[in-house]
Amino acid sequence: MNFDYKPLANYSLRERNTLGFDVVAEWALPITQAEQIPQAISGAKNAGLSHRTLGGGSNVVLPTQLAGLTLLMDIDFIEVLENRATKTRLRVGAGVNWHDFVRWTLGQNYRGLENLALIPGTVGAAPIQNIGAYGVEVKEYIDAVEAYDCQTKQWIRLPKKDCRFAYRHSVFKDEPNRFVIAAVIFDLPKVWQPRVSYADLTNHFANRVVNAITAPEIFEAVCAIRAKKLPDPKVIGNVGSFFQNPVISNQQLQSLKEQFPQIVSYPESATHSKLAAGWLIDQCGFKGMQMGNVGVHDKQALVLTHRGGGNAEDLLGLAGQIQKKVKEAFGVELTVEPMIYSEP
Ligand code: FAD
Ligand code: NAP
């Protein structure tokens, strides 16, 4: 396919980052078909421009001026590759809205993704941090990822085992900007069990026999719980959790428990445990705090918010203060979860 490489100059990303920052991309290029990607990348290279890929902008902190070329992933298709007695295999374009895709699967009676309802963003970004919620991670349902490797200039089909999926992590986070994901292949097994072990879901279904709960009911429950607890990015700018939950050794947890018996933790492996970062931040007195145009959400301290007029510098200033206080109080480092892009 011969594609006309005509990026748009000084393109506003105000509507394409859920923090709602006023961001102008030096150059932006909507990508609606995979075939456009190699040409876009070589076009940027020839012009001496850096490049990056943007989905829904719900896990990025963007500077006011975003230099180079920004690819806007709008590849939009859902294809049923196989529908067997044991599983359904789907191939989905990177630009498909994640929540719409989850809703579509349930409409077809394909189960498995319901706990991941209402996560903003695109299908193509889901493997990047191996999105997860309510005890489910997307890696469980990914068969492979189709991507253009900007380094080798080859199309690749990365099987799950090569994606290095881990807790909110993958090979794509290790090597940012190397791969442009065009499509994701999902396997949804026909054998299914409801997963409602997180307290909010357990409480929601308190009067029900667990095995009688249906996938659409979980989908509705997750949507209702999230709508109550998380700020809607259309109203209050945010990128969901701003920090990852720290994973520490059981030894370190033991000594923290002696000082802080109420500390919230969950087993992660035989040797390590996960701390609820929101609890640590709350204990440092940040929950509900406002600092100029940015703040900490009053229902979940892990979520930083922007109410208009602020920028990345303001938000990162607040994030730095939180990291410092948590480190002083608990000796624990908080790692920022979204991708931070800096000024040129
Ligand atoms: P973007 O923000 O556009 O991009 C994120 C990163 O992925 C960037 O580095 C970008 O370069 C890269 N990227 C995007 N698309 C591609 C592509 N096609 N190819 C290569 N690289 C690409 N996350 C969770 O894990 N669990 C949650 O429960 C959750 N809840 C959230 C709730 C709220 C209210 C918000 C605002 C965010 C939440 N998030 C959650 C974070 C976010 O929604 C996810 O990480 C989501 O997958 C990001 O998708 P996106 O399309 O917006 O990615
Ligand atoms: P929550 O249920 O109040 O739980 C607080 C924290 O404790 C979460 O971070 C969660 O870890 C952990 N946790 C709770 N119950 C657990 C269990 N049974 N086993 C293991 N860990 C447990 O959290 P919330 O803020 O309302 O969010 C609900 C879910 O949505 C969580 O899974 C959260 O990750 C996800 N979410 C993610 C984002 C994001 O941007 N990444 C934003 C909003 C919500 P985990 O985070 O590891 O699950």
Side-chain angles (χ1 to χ4, degrees):
M1 173 190 160
N2 211 1
F3 149 72
D4 220 2
Y5 172 72
K6 274 199 191 138
L8 310 161
N10 298 321
Y11 186 86
S12 171
L13 297 176
R14 170 83 175 69
E15 302 296 327
R16 206 151 172 156
N17 77 99
T18 59
L19 277 164
F21 288 153
D22 272 317
V23 174
V24 174
E26 186 184 8
W27 298 101
L29 190 62
I31 299 288
T32 54
Q33 295 181 50
E35 292 80 0
Q36 297 169 334
I37 296 168
Q39 239 173 302
I41 299 299
S42 70
K45 195 160 187 260
N46 293 342
L49 299 172
S50 59
H51 77 269
R52 79 211 46 83
T53 312
L54 194 65
S58 64
N59 213 21
V60 288
V61 180
L62 301 175
T64 305
Q65 297 292 328
L66 188 59
L69 177 69
T70 301
L71 303 185
L72 306 175
M73 297 308 284
D74 292 335
I75 303 172
D76 188 5
F77 66 85
I78 301 180
E79 199 182 337
V80 181
L81 296 179
E82 286 172 33
N83 200 359
R84 297 196 196 175
T86 51
K87 68 172 183 206
T88 304
R89 178 165 289 181
L90 303 169
R91 182 168 175 265
V92 188
V96 172
N97 174 275
W98 174 261
H99 177 69
D100 290 348
F101 168 56
V102 174
R103 193 183 9 224
W104 179 88
T105 58
L106 292 166
Q108 308 296 311
N109 202 22
Y110 306 149
R111 296 165 299 181
L113 300 177
E114 55 285 341
N115 289 45
L116 304 178
L118 220 59
I119 297 182
T122 55
V123 165
I128 306 287
Q129 75 159 10
N130 174 27
I131 54 170
Y134 301 99
V136 173
E137 290 183 338
V138 75
K139 71 171 183 188
E140 298 168 47
Y141 298 99
I142 289 180
D143 169 61
V145 171
E146 293 178 2
Y148 182 70
D149 183 341
C150 303
Q151 202 167 301
T152 61
K153 301 189 181 132
Q154 303 284 325
W155 280 104
I156 54 164
R157 186 182 185 282
L158 222 57
K160 180 185 5 211
K161 68 176 174 39
D162 294 338
C163 292
R164 282 190 239 143
F165 287 126
Y167 180 60
R168 306 288 189 269
H169 200 79
S170 72
V171 67
F172 309 106
K173 261 196 141 172
D174 278 337
E175 301 190 60
N177 298 329
R178 175 169 170 187
F179 302 101
V180 182
I181 296 173
V184 181
I185 297 173
F186 295 90
D187 270 349
L188 302 180
K190 291 282 158 76
V191 174
W192 176 86
Q193 278 225 306
R195 291 159 77 176
V196 292
S197 66
Y198 273 44
D200 283 346
L201 280 177
T202 308
N203 294 338
H204 185 95
F205 291 110
N207 301 320
R208 297 283 303 277
V209 174
V210 170
N211 282 340
I213 301 169
T214 67
E217 284 177 319
I218 296 177
F219 174 89
E220 294 300 340
V222 168
C223 290
I225 293 164
R226 292 181 74 111
K228 265 199 212 147
K229 197 165 182 182
L230 293 167
D232 176 355
K234 289 195 191 94
V235 183
I236 301 172
N238 74 94
V239 279
S241 305
F242 203 83
F243 303 102
Q244 289 180 358
N245 287 326
V247 175
I248 61 169
S249 70
N250 288 343
Q251 216 175 353
Q252 190 182 357
L253 176 63
Q254 208 41 50
S255 67
L256 277 171
K257 270 188 173 166
E258 280 159 25
Q259 263 183 290
F260 310 100
Q262 308 297 322
I263 197 163
V264 181
S265 69
Y266 299 88
E268 187 61 17
S269 67
T271 53
H272 285 75
S273 296
K274 177 178 77 179
L275 296 180
W279 187 87
L280 303 176
I281 298 167
D282 191 2
Q283 295 304 300
C284 292
F286 284 103
K287 199 175 191 173
M289 179 200 255
Q290 198 62 28
M291 202 177 89
N293 300 314
V294 295
V296 180
H297 190 48
D298 56 0
K299 296 195 184 84
Q300 169 51 290
L302 205 43
V303 178
L304 303 193
T305 55
H306 167 238
R307 289 177 183 270
N311 58 30
E313 213 179 309
D314 301 327
L315 194 74
L316 295 175
L318 173 60
Q321 286 194 25
I322 292 172
Q323 284 171 310
K324 187 166 175 278
K325 277 271 164 60
V326 167
K327 174 83 182 165
E328 282 166 7
F330 301 100
V332 172
E333 303 271 0
L334 288 184
T335 304
V336 169
E337 184 174 284
M339 182 78 180
I340 312 288
Y341 292 90
S342 46
E343 296 281 352

